[in-house]
């Protein structure tokens, strides 16, 4: 379960995140929908302990990640940009990361083989990741996020840079994970992705969470036919009457 | 020269100067301290020059040519390392290569950057030296032609350094060795020209001729430059590469915590594959060979006329040890965190305590460090028939410096990280120089007492050495503790 209360992050005069409240229950997919620079990634970075909030709290299963190192096993994180160790092979990378996350050796090997086969990576697993395409790096990081079977998933723009086939596969996997009882917090600026997988969509702009609800309820609230139109309507309304 | 080249060059300079200004603004005290240390450093060099003037042994008589070659060698080596690290291993250059700009223009812009920074370095150095000569009345053994030759060498050294850097990165070991040896002869040629008995003006003509040759080579080496960049930035795609280093964990003791071992394993693999570990060991081998070379040239008891007869080799071994630890341990440890770059999130989001991360990283640096005493504190002392106590004392001293400088480097790497991927996380010159001087000061502090006691009584001196080893380990531990705190507080807002 993910719980964010009155979260603020300020850089000098700039308010990157301003009083955000949200919670994601087990089995729920919460999608933060916002324009570029709306504050989505900052919220995620605070949640997983990469940034210190100016005020407010961000908890995963009731734990503040920055204060409790062990609780970092409670989430799996997929970043927007696939930055990893380019001089390690895919297998070495997953072996090191999995071991550091406390996965037992026999299970780790099994999981690496299973996932690399499912994501069609097995033939390149022993090459250095620096030679991978962006999509392949994304796949390796996806395996890294789920390798230790965490109860929560934090996915930052999970479908960006993926080919349509794997994008579809990724969306299906996200739905499967939520059915297994995992809480999923994801960000996107692609409305169709949010419409396809999210139980709850939160629209964020300039660091503020403007509204939230199911895709259907947002469309109803704004009187629009698609989530994309609903998103534009909410943002425009806010900018007309800040 | 044309627009594309100048545009890239000015963009790079603008970017670097902004980042420099930002750092000065963030750390005014450290910048001030850096300037003070820089002046003190030059003052020490001038003092040494004054001292060396009194040496009577012809092999050690300091001439203008020696000073000029030393300056040339430093600038050339710096240019060569910068070319490899900041250009040929810089992935960000893909943006230029994918733009409609010829490779030759990119090459020229990168050379200009290396050349520009060396020019600034020399200008600042000459200004400080001139100021110190004027203030303290130093009298270095140079005439006006010294300066003319210096100006030409300042142009020539970055050219040779840049070209040599390119040679060391081409594909294929044999090709690399062949080209490096072939082109490396330019460096030897400079030595011979400077040492020759021809008139000063002819030396300048020869050096200018070498400049035009190097420039010609620079303009025509775009193919090698492209090959060097591709080779320097590409990862291995082969899963059958038997030469690749696979199992560093076998080097690590079993009793270690798994997390520490895995963090160390990651560091060791990456450093080995980036050829940094072999390069570091290679430098130590070269220093050891240099010491043997001194022995072959000077014999077992050289008389320099300074009353230092019994001290020359211990001083040389001490300097060799410090240099080897600085190059193989301190400098690599300074980029331990900066090197993570944008992948820093990976390590920060792991359920591994900060102390284990720091210990794992420090272990990866320490793992090869026993090579230093093995190569520097053993061969020459054995040749010189030093007593067992003396050899053991030198080995103890090596580990004292190793622990001090590793701790200092690890702390500095997280206190002042440079996540700039275009320089592979290397620290800025202020951090590098300040840490090196601090390391030198700490080493002198920790070694002075046991050395003084050892001269009076070897047994007591050895005991003092063991105590200092414990103190240096405590200092290492203290630095690691501070580093742990900095790591815990660090944020990833990039």
């Amino acid at each position: 379960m993910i719980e964010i209360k009155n979260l603020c992050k300020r850089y000098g005069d700039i308010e990157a995140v301003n009083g955000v409240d949200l919670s994601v229950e087990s089995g729920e997919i919460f999608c933060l929908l916002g324009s570029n620079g709306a504050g989505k990634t900052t919220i995620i970075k605070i949640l997983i302990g990469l940034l210190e909030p100016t005020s407010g709290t961000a908890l995963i299963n009731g734990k503040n990640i920055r204060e409790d190192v062990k609780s970092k096993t409670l989430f799996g994180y997929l970043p927007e940009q696939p930055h990893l160790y380019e001089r390690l092979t895919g297998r070495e990378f997953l072996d090191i990361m999995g071991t550091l996350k406390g996965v037992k050796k026999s299970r780790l090997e099994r999981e690496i083989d299973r996932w690399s086969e499912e994501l069609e990576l097995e033939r390149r697993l022993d090459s250095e990741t620096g030679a991978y395409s962006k999509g392949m790096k994304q796949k390796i990081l996806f395996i890294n996020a789920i390798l230790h079977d965490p109860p929560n998933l934090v996915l930052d723009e999970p479908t960006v840079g993926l080919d349509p086939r794997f994008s579809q596969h990724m969306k299906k996997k996200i739905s499967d994970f939520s059915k297994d009882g995992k809480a999923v917090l994801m960000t996107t600026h692609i409305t169709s992705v949010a419409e396809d997988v999210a139980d709850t969509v939160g629209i964020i702009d300039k660091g503020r969470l403007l509204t939230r609800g199911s895709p259907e309820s947002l469309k109803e609230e704004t009187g629009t036919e698609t989530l994309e139109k609903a998103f534009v309507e909410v943002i425009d309304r806010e900018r007309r009457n800040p | 020269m044309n627009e594309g080249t100048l545009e890239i060059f000015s963009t790079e300079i603008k970017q670097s100067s902004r980042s420099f200004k930002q750092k000065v603004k963030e750390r005014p005290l450290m910048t001030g301290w850096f300037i003070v240390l820089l002046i003190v450093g030059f003052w020490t060099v001038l003092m040494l020059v004054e001292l060396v003037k009194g040496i009577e042994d012809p092999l050690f008589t300091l001439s203008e040519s020696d000073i000029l070659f030393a300056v040339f060698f430093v600038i050339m080596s710096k240019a060569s390392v910068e070319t490899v690290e900041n250009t040929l291993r810089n992935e960000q250059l893909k943006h230029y290569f994918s733009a409609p700009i010829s490779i030759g223009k990119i090459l020229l812009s990168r050379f200009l950057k290396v050349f520009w920074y060396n020019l600034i370095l020399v200008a600042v150095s000459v200004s400080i030296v001139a100021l110190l000569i004027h203030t303290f009345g130093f009298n270095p053994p140079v005439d006006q032609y010294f300066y003319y030759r210096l100006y030409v060498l300042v142009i020539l050294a970055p050219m040779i350094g840049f070209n040599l850097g390119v040679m060391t990165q081409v594909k294929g070991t044999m090709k690399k060795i062949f080209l490096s040896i072939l082109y490396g002869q330019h460096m030897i040629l400079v030595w011979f020209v400077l040492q020759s008995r021809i008139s000063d003006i002819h030396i300048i003509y020869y050096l200018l001729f070498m400049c035009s040759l190097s420039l010609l080579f620079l303009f025509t080496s775009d193919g090698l430059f492209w090959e060097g960049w591709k080779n320097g930035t590409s990862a291995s795609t082969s899963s059958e590469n038997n030469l690749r280093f696979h199992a560093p964990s076998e080097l690590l003791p079993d009793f270690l915590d798994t997390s520490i071992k895995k963090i160390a394993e990651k560091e060791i693999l990456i450093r080995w594959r980036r050829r940094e570990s072999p390069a570091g060991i290679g430098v130590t081998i070269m220093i050891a060979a240099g010491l043997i070379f001194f022995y072959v040239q000077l014999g077992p008891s050289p008389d320099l006329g300074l009353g230092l007869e019994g001290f020359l080799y211990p001083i040389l071994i001490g300097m060799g040890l410090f240099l080897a630890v600085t190059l193989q341990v301190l400098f690599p440890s300074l980029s331990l965190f900066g090197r993570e770059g944008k992948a820093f999130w990976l390590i920060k989001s792991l359920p591994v305590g900060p102390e284990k991360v720091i210990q794992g990283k420090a272990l990866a640096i320490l793992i090869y460090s026993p090579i230093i005493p093995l190569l520097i504190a053993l061969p020459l002392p054995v040749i010189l028939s030093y007593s067992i106590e003396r050899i053991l004392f030198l080995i103890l001293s090596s580990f004292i410096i190793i622990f001090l400088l590793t701790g200092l480097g690890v702390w500095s790497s997280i206190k002042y990280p440079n996540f700039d991927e275009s320089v592979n996380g290397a620290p800025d010159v202020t951090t590098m120089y300040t840490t090196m001087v601090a390391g030198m000061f700490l080493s002198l502090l920790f070694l002075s007492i046991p050395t003084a006691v050892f001269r009076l009584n070897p047994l007591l001196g050895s005991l003092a050495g063991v105590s200092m080893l414990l103190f240096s380990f405590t200092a290492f531990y203290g630095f690691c503790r501070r580093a742990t705190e900095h790591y815990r507080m660090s944020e990833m807002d990039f």
Side-chain angles (χ1 to χ4, degrees), chain B residues 144-412:
Chain B
Q144 59 163 350
Y145 276 102
F146 171 86
Y147 294 102
Y148 298 153
R149 281 179 285 171
L150 179 69
Y151 299 144
V152 183
L153 284 174
V154 166
I155 299 169
L156 182 60
M159 283 186 201
I160 295 183
F162 188 90
N163 290 335
L164 207 56
V166 172
M167 304 293 175
T168 61
Q169 292 299 301
V170 293
K171 200 170 169 62
T173 312
M174 288 315 289
K175 189 176 173 185
K176 200 177 291 190
I177 293 171
F178 175 72
L179 285 174
S180 302
I181 291 174
L182 196 70
Y183 192 79
Q185 292 181 32
H186 272 71
M187 193 172 66
I188 300 163
L189 206 58
V190 171
W191 166 261
F192 279 118
V193 169
L194 286 174
Q195 296 292 337
S196 64
R197 292 179 186 280
I198 53 174
S199 66
D200 288 325
I201 193 75
H202 279 99
I203 289 179
I204 292 169
Y205 287 151
Y206 274 117
L207 292 176
L208 281 172
F209 176 67
M210 287 183 72
C211 275
S212 26
L213 276 183
S214 293
L215 200 62
L216 189 69
F217 184 86
L218 197 78
F219 276 116
T220 52
S221 63
D222 46 352
L224 287 174
F225 178 72
W226 171 238
E227 186 182 324
W229 181 78
K230 276 196 297 181
N231 192 37
T233 51
S234 69
S236 171
T237 50
S238 166
S239 54
E240 302 290 328
N241 190 349
N242 293 326
L243 290 173
R244 213 163 56 191
F245 187 42
H246 282 289
S249 52
E250 285 167 13
L251 294 171
L252 304 169
D254 289 335
F255 62 82
L256 278 175
D257 179 273
T258 314
S259 303
I260 296 175
K261 270 175 89 168
K262 280 289 167 186
I263 297 278
E265 182 178 335
K266 176 216 131 203
E267 293 292 329
I268 293 169
L269 275 173
I270 293 173
R271 278 177 48 70
W272 192 265
R273 288 191 189 150
R274 289 178 56 88
R275 303 173 198 104
E276 288 167 357
S277 303
I281 295 167
V283 167
T284 305
I285 293 171
M286 278 168 68
I287 294 170
L291 289 175
I292 305 286
F293 172 78
F294 270 115
Y295 174 79
V296 172
Q297 289 291 315
L298 299 171
S301 51
D303 179 13
L304 303 181
L306 293 172
L308 291 171
E309 289 71 35
F311 295 101
L312 180 71
Y313 285 119
I315 290 173
L316 282 178
I317 294 169
M319 282 166 62
L321 276 177
F322 180 76
L323 197 61
V325 178
T326 301
L327 295 173
Q328 199 189 309
V329 171
L330 179 66
F331 285 169
S333 63
L334 284 176
S335 57
L336 271 176
F337 283 92
R339 171 67 51 82
E340 297 275 331
K342 286 182 175 153
F344 188 47
W345 71 269
L346 275 163
I347 208 157
K348 281 290 282 181
S349 59
L350 283 170
V352 178
E355 61 290 336
K356 288 182 182 171
V357 173
I358 300 292
Q359 285 164 19
K361 281 184 173 268
L363 180 64
I365 293 290
L366 285 172
I367 193 89
Y368 299 114
S369 64
I371 288 169
I372 297 171
L374 194 74
L375 289 175
I376 295 181
L378 266 184
L380 187 56
V382 168
I383 293 172
L384 287 164
S385 306
Y386 277 8
S387 63
I388 294 287
E389 297 94 55
R390 244 176 140 179
I391 293 175
L392 284 176
F393 185 76
L394 281 170
I395 293 172
L396 265 178
S397 306
S398 318
F399 283 107
I400 290 173
I401 306 177
I402 287 169
F403 281 127
L404 280 175
L405 267 61
T406 309
L408 188 65
V410 170
W411 167 78
S412 182

Side-chain angles (χ1 to χ4, degrees), chain A residues 88-99 108-114 116 121-129 132 140 147, chain B residues 262 265 269:
Chain A
L88 297 183
T89 66
R91 190 183 299 280
E92 285 165 349
F93 173 76
L94 292 172
D95 174 66
I96 290 173
M97 300 309 280
T99 309
L108 185 60
E109 281 170 8
R110 225 174 31 244
E111 288 292 295
I112 292 173
D113 287 340
R114 179 168 79 89
S116 55
L121 273 175
E122 71 273 32
R123 281 194 306 126
R124 298 295 302 278
L125 209 56
D126 292 310
S127 303
E128 289 177 13
T129 58
Y132 287 10
I140 282 285
L147 207 53
Chain B
K262 280 289 167 186
E265 182 178 335
L269 275 173

Side-chain angles (χ1 to χ4, degrees), chain A residues 109-157:
Chain A
E109 281 170 8
R110 225 174 31 244
E111 288 292 295
I112 292 173
D113 287 340
R114 179 168 79 89
W115 281 105
S116 55
E117 202 181 318
E118 183 168 338
L119 300 179
E120 297 167 11
L121 273 175
E122 71 273 32
R123 281 194 306 126
R124 298 295 302 278
L125 209 56
D126 292 310
S127 303
E128 289 177 13
T129 58
Y132 287 10
S133 68
K134 190 183 175 191
M136 287 164 75
K137 287 180 186 174
Q138 196 86 337
K139 289 179 187 181
I140 282 285
L141 288 176
F142 179 68
I143 300 175
N144 173 52
I146 56 176
L147 207 53
H148 56 301
D149 193 23
N152 302 279
L153 283 176
V154 183
L155 313 172
D156 195 1
E157 307 277 3

Side-chain angles (χ1 to χ4, degrees), chain A residues 52 72 85 87 92, chain B residues 262 273 340 348 491-492:
Chain A
E52 182 79 44
K72 288 182 182 178
Y85 304 125
R87 297 315 299 256
E92 285 165 349
Chain B
K262 280 289 167 186
R273 288 191 189 150
E340 297 275 331
K348 281 290 282 181
E491 292 191 273
M492 193 180 168

